[in-house]
Amino acid sequence: MAKDLVILAYSGGLDTSCILKWLIQKNYDVVCYMADVGQNEDFKKAREKALGVGAKDVIVEDLRKEFISNYMLPAVQMGLVYENRYYLGTSLARPCISVGLVNAAKKLGAKYISHGATGKGNDQVRFELSVYSLWPEGKVIAPWRLPEFFERFQGRSDLIEFAKHENIPVSATPKEPWSTDENIMHISYESGVLEDPGAIPPTGIYKITRDLKQAEDYPSMIDINFEKGLPVSVRIPSGHEKSLVLTDPLAVVQTLNKLGGQHGVGRIDIVENRFLGLKSRGLYETPAGTILHIAHVDLEAYALDREVLRVKKYLQDKMADFVYNGFWFSPEATYTRKCLELSQELVNGMVTVQIYRGCVTILARKSSASLYNKDLVSMDIAGGFSPEDSTGFININALRLKEYSRFLKQSK
Amino acid sequence: MAKDLVILAYSGGLDTSCILKWLIQKNYDVVCYMADVGQNEDFKKAREKALGVGAKDVIVEDLRKEFISNYMLPAVQMGLVYENRYYLGTSLARPCISVGLVNAAKKLGAKYISHGATGKGNDQVRFELSVYSLWPEGKVIAPWRLPEFFERFQGRSDLIEFAKHENIPVSATPKEPWSTDENIMHISYESGVLEDPGAIPPTGIYKITRDLKQAEDYPSMIDINFEKGLPVSVRIPSGHEKSLVLTDPLAVVQTLNKLGGQHGVGRIDIVENRFLGLKSRGLYETPAGTILHIAHVDLEAYALDREVLRVKKYLQDKMADFVYNGFWFSPEATYTRKCLELSQELVNGMVTVQIYRGCVTILARKSSASLYNKDLVSMDIAGGFSPEDSTGFININALRLKEYSRFLKQSK
Amino acid sequence: MAKDLVILAYSGGLDTSCILKWLIQKNYDVVCYMADVGQNEDFKKAREKALGVGAKDVIVEDLRKEFISNYMLPAVQMGLVYENRYYLGTSLARPCISVGLVNAAKKLGAKYISHGATGKGNDQVRFELSVYSLWPEGKVIAPWRLPEFFERFQGRSDLIEFAKHENIPVSATPKEPWSTDENIMHISYESGVLEDPGAIPPTGIYKITRDLKQAEDYPSMIDINFEKGLPVSVRIPSGHEKSLVLTDPLAVVQTLNKLGGQHGVGRIDIVENRFLGLKSRGLYETPAGTILHIAHVDLEAYALDREVLRVKKYLQDKMADFVYNGFWFSPEATYTRKCLELSQELVNGMVTVQIYRGCVTILARKSSASLYNKDLVSMDIAGGFSPEDSTGFININALRLKEYSRFLKQSK
Amino acid sequence: MAKDLVILAYSGGLDTSCILKWLIQKNYDVVCYMADVGQNEDFKKAREKALGVGAKDVIVEDLRKEFISNYMLPAVQMGLVYENRYYLGTSLARPCISVGLVNAAKKLGAKYISHGATGKGNDQVRFELSVYSLWPEGKVIAPWRLPEFFERFQGRSDLIEFAKHENIPVSATPKEPWSTDENIMHISYESGVLEDPGAIPPTGIYKITRDLKQAEDYPSMIDINFEKGLPVSVRIPSGHEKSLVLTDPLAVVQTLNKLGGQHGVGRIDIVENRFLGLKSRGLYETPAGTILHIAHVDLEAYALDREVLRVKKYLQDKMADFVYNGFWFSPEATYTRKCLELSQELVNGMVTVQIYRGCVTILARKSSASLYNKDLVSMDIAGGFSPEDSTGFININALRLKEYSRFLKQSK
């Protein structure tokens, strides 16, 4: 009888290699799926490793452009920030990878998708809610939530022992005492020695951004162009008084990552609230994302009407929660995203940004679409403004306050 | 017959000196009121100037502690940020000064309060809504909104000519081509050459923060202690491996201003939406305020329950608008402030912050009150957590999404 | 020299007739504009009266269909209710009439629009904000806010005297001791004897709905069909076991008004907050509007996803305020309306409603688009549901609560 | 060895009697707990039945006053309505009963609490989240979610067979084809023949409210007094031109239930969104609750400042969701409740209500605390109001709209 086919989200690491072997031992056929979302990974080596362990096949799919164009840049456009600070780099990658997993599963006639996400984290939720949305009849095998698995592999040493016993290659270099998740938008660091929110993180932890001390000591000035809230091109200094205009989304992100990294831009160290109700401490470095977000916020405030901005803010806060919690494909996120996109019709223009010593500083902004009216605001030009009107405006606004004051006195 | 008494919010500058004279010519008695909210000002000289012009008296009141304790630090506690970026330095000072003005008016039996705020700005609204809330029977004279005044004085040169004619001393140094508002929390810069949002501001404009290039090249590490969301003490490095603990609010703010200034912390350049409906471009430098706000956001996320944080966020966004628009003493701000204070009961603890090269970097935080549970979140400890529960949690959350997916397919 | 032309929003009543004459005396040419939005009015007689007073012309425009299709029914679709209770009948008519006024002004080359709305009310704001949005270069003459006018006409008797002196016909029947505004959606009653919120309104005040005591003593059952949240047809009982299907929006509203009126449906007596900051007491009768709104709320809850419903609710509450305050044509209302329309794509189906003795009772609803899944919810059918999942769902939701409980104990 | 003790939330019905027996067979000691929250129940008979089945003891606790004072009336005060229509009668009772269960468990040294709530419903969540909040170390046995139980008892007939086999008395009268939950605030009806939202409910289903046809044919006028938003006394007509003033909360609710029931007040038929993500159809009758809520909404709008009302509305919508979903004792509900209570400080006064033919009609309201100012709003009295101010107010509000209009033209 034919075995059931499982598509395993494979990373090449110890955990998913052991899961691969374990699934084979549980009598499944397993095809490994690796999404290239920009992480620093030797896909060829990982592929060989998986085949060596017994995978029927290994699919490596380059989703970098997909991730940038359909997740990362729309998140900039929508202004998504979780709990005031986190740009959702991992949260955005999960639905993108899930599309790849589900497509593979459907194409190959698989019955299951499996992953190595743990039982306390957000990623299990993000993967599975995405998978179930895209493929409601699909099933998920999450070994780290199966007692048979997690009782057997109670720590890393159990995995290593299993790997050795099963001839799964184990990296000689000891694992860093924290875990990371990497893609072209960001790298996250959590767990291990980082679990104590009161402990200052070890130096040298960050990979793509320099420490402020080592940051370049000249400022870089760039111009970012937005259309409907989406960054569409970036002008970047390039050698002696020259500049380079990038329009390819991948090139934009890669270049801003490099530039931001050199200037030490985009690090945060936060305690965040996971969807499961736990609090966890995480470090993130998001150079390009940080630059793009800061520029977008500036242009948006310039271009949008005040009250539209407020309605949009409510929606963006909701959307950030939806995305963090794994609901990218939910009805509410689908709806809210449409509304947020609608809000960006006028967010067109250019922002001039200085990147220097960890700081992203807005210097100037231009927009054909802004409601900004220089004459109107000018102190030196009346610009169609009658100062007497302000008297009426203030007096009417004071009506309610005077009534309240009157009442407070009365009630004493 | 006795003349009506006016309390004039006096700055010592050209505008309010001319207004002073004009009011006297309109047959009012005028007492000048100067609030010391930390601006760089020669109060003695200003006093003499006002008396020279003909003021019946000049009151100089030191409101710095009042401003810090009742406005600035509560704003940190409440997390007030206008349109994502502006810490409301001017907006907070206006109600504080208004209390001083109204107290003087009541004490001296004045009938009017007068000020030199212009007709297009926010400050006229903030002053007057505060005054009317505190003193509903009071009246305001706003010369810049009276045709008789603004038609006569159409530009700075008209004021200078009037001043010369009336023997009002005029500063020999030419005015900077922008206007500023200063207090112990911040300095703002707007108008003039800054009115074009697409023009990069002239260098040398900022007064209390160094340019990043000139910032100190060593990091400073400080610890900030909060009780109920209010910063109550700061430990600051002081010479060779020593440190200093400050608890006096004035000293805390002054010291953080100095330190932040040396490190180039706290500048922003934004376009904001005024209450009147205009957009205006402003530059702000807020060293101490920026440091305290960033530390508070971090501790709050650590200490508060996730859902309390969300309810609180709605309230803080509303409150920021109330304060910006001048409604500090309104029923809604009074109410919302009480709610925000209630949210901070558990925001107790210490945040360790690095200040360096324009960046305020959170390094660690401690709190006896946090809902953070290291065992629960640990990857290595079960901590009373059953991974199987996550399966149920995810499956139930997926119910609604599967229904939606089912429906979408059906409806194709 | 040619006189400036004014388009006057004319009602045929005493106020606007006097304003008409007064404008003529101020040397304006005046064209009267009467919008038929369904009020009970003898337009022919009003026309003759205006011409008799001296109007250059009188335009009577039937805007009933326009009002129903572009304002009233979209308000049902968007779910607009002001302060929990008021369906915005007057607020919706004002922008509709303003379009007519502005079109007339543009067509005839008028420089001014004038109206008889008073200085304390909402309607002046709604008219003028609509006019300025549609015709920013236009000007408004609001006599009731001009000292020259309101000081001369301090009460109704001054107007009557003026009318008599100027040969303006004055109705022989004494005015009711309250004021009303009527259109096909509702009639409002306010002012005069109604100003005391503690006084029970006089009987006989309502015009189109019967008192409960006189309501028909049989129930009427109707079916209302919605497409994308808009009511598109209504099946109504018609004589002996027959029924009638109406699809013409005007017929739908007229018929539901009649039916609702017979059954005493749609009255409210409220105190509301005006945009100017005053509170006022108003009575409204809105038979068709009430029936349609109640049916829509029911279908929407049935058809929409839970979380979409919540996002939409925020938007509808904002929109209700925008509309009440006169901002129908503002950027924020334009944007929010688009978002609300987007939310209604799936609100298709039929609601069965009983109308009887003042009550609109939902009996049943059907929708091809609902996310309701009878099998899933059934107590007797598993329907793909695993009860064990609920355990995990509850336990994970309890995590945060247990931490809080643990903390509270600790901190005692 | 001593057996573990279970406190079983016992109803006297078939399900919990079978669960009782089953728990005993699983070797637990079981004490049955019955909360009297006003349901129509023969507690004596139920007690005997439980003892007959083998309960170690049966606790019957009268929680009616507790329920009214600490849950029902605060819900009126807070204005809690779920999804626009449902007054949360069941949702409010669950935490109240949970307190009783936990108190019993702690007192008797029990290890477990058990209940008969099903796996698809809200009540399991409400019970368990409440229990875990109050007693984080407690454990819950939910038989309807244990495969061993629900696979054995797949339908009602399995339970009946088991009951017969175990000599558990089974009611001779056949069960109604729907299920109900009853307390002093409301009765709910769901499941069975009601599961089809398109089916008109059978007549005769409602227990405490008359059909409109049978409602009394005279109106009843009552006065309801509120202090800080809580109903504190009710004046009710009592025979020939007499009236009765009730202040005891139990008497108030019982009397309004009776009166409302006679007049056919308080029925709804809705589809609601359960916390688990299912939609379900429910019928509710809530006579006293409906009257009190409608009166409270009216007084609140009268007494509160406009902007306070808006902030409060956000909070009440959040709180309604918290309560519906079972989070009564959560940090967010605890916090939000405090904020909502704060908002009610001024909600003092009296509302006059007519109850008649299914309708609760507000006739008048009085409040010493209202911000309503009759002079200010009066059309006949200036009341300190300057109509010219409205011109400025409108013009300034139009600024933003004109800019938008200007921009739209430009961009065409």
Side-chain angles (χ1 to χ4, degrees), chain D residues 259-308:
Chain D
L259 189 74
Q262 288 166 337
H263 287 293
V265 156
R267 294 181 179 180
I268 54 168
D269 174 341
I270 64 171
V271 172
E272 73 198 51
N273 288 291
R274 288 195 192 153
F275 184 34
L276 268 65
L278 311 130
K279 283 179 178 289
S280 79
R281 194 254 200 111
L283 279 54
Y284 300 92
E285 51 183 348
T286 320
T290 301
I291 296 165
L292 293 172
H293 265 287
I294 289 177
H296 179 266
V297 163
D298 187 72
L299 183 63
E300 186 180 69
Y302 181 48
L304 286 193
D305 171 79
R306 180 183 69 195
E307 298 304 317
V308 171

Side-chain angles (χ1 to χ4, degrees), chain B residues 277-309:
Chain B
L278 311 131
K279 283 179 178 288
S280 78
R281 193 253 201 113
L283 278 54
Y284 301 93
E285 51 184 348
T286 320
T290 301
I291 296 165
L292 293 172
H293 265 287
I294 289 177
H296 179 264
V297 163
D298 187 72
L299 182 63
E300 185 180 71
Y302 181 48
L304 286 193
D305 172 78
R306 180 182 69 194
E307 298 304 318
V308 172
L309 197 65

Side-chain angles (χ1 to χ4, degrees), chain C residues 283-405:
Chain C
L283 278 55
Y284 300 91
E285 51 184 348
T286 320
T290 301
I291 295 165
L292 293 172
H293 265 287
I294 289 177
H296 179 266
V297 163
D298 187 72
L299 183 63
E300 186 180 69
Y302 181 48
L304 287 192
D305 172 79
R306 180 183 69 195
E307 298 304 317
V308 172
L309 197 65
R310 273 147 184 77
V311 175
K312 192 242 160 188
K313 187 164 200 300
Y314 174 82
L315 296 171
Q316 85 187 41
D317 286 350
K318 296 298 288 181
M319 187 71 182
D321 281 1
F322 297 154
V323 173
Y324 184 85
N325 292 341
F327 289 83
W328 181 270
F329 294 109
S330 69
E332 62 269 30
T334 304
Y335 170 59
T336 306
R337 184 174 170 185
K338 279 185 206 157
C339 294
L340 284 166
E341 283 169 357
L342 264 179
S343 78
Q344 300 293 299
E345 303 259 310
L346 302 184
V347 183
N348 305 312
M350 194 193 76
V351 183
T352 302
V353 179
Q354 176 190 278
I355 302 169
Y356 185 37
R357 295 191 158 174
C359 298
V360 180
T361 308
I362 303 297
L363 298 176
R365 73 291 286 162
K366 282 175 182 150
S367 170
S368 60
S370 171
L371 299 174
Y372 192 95
N373 179 336
K374 212 177 140 184
D375 285 357
L376 187 57
V377 78
S378 172
M379 302 285 279
D380 304 319
I381 308 168
F385 185 91
S386 302
E388 307 98 304
D389 284 340
S390 300
T391 303
F393 180 72
I394 294 169
N395 288 346
I396 295 291
N397 272 297
L399 267 184
R400 210 166 42 83
L401 312 189
K402 287 182 178 178
E403 288 307 300
Y404 180 63
S405 180

Side-chain angles (χ1 to χ4, degrees), chain A residues 120 195 279 304 372 381, chain B residues 120 195 279 304 372 381:
Chain A
K120 287 180 177 177
E195 264 163 20
K279 283 179 178 290
L304 286 192
Y372 192 95
I381 308 169
Chain B
K120 287 180 176 176
E195 265 163 19
K279 283 179 178 288
L304 286 193
Y372 192 95
I381 309 168

Side-chain angles (χ1 to χ4, degrees), chain B residues 331-332 335, chain D residues 304-313 343:
Chain B
E332 62 269 29
Y335 171 58
Chain D
L304 286 193
D305 171 79
R306 180 183 69 195
E307 298 304 317
V308 171
L309 197 65
R310 273 147 185 75
V311 175
K312 192 242 159 188
K313 186 164 201 299
S343 77

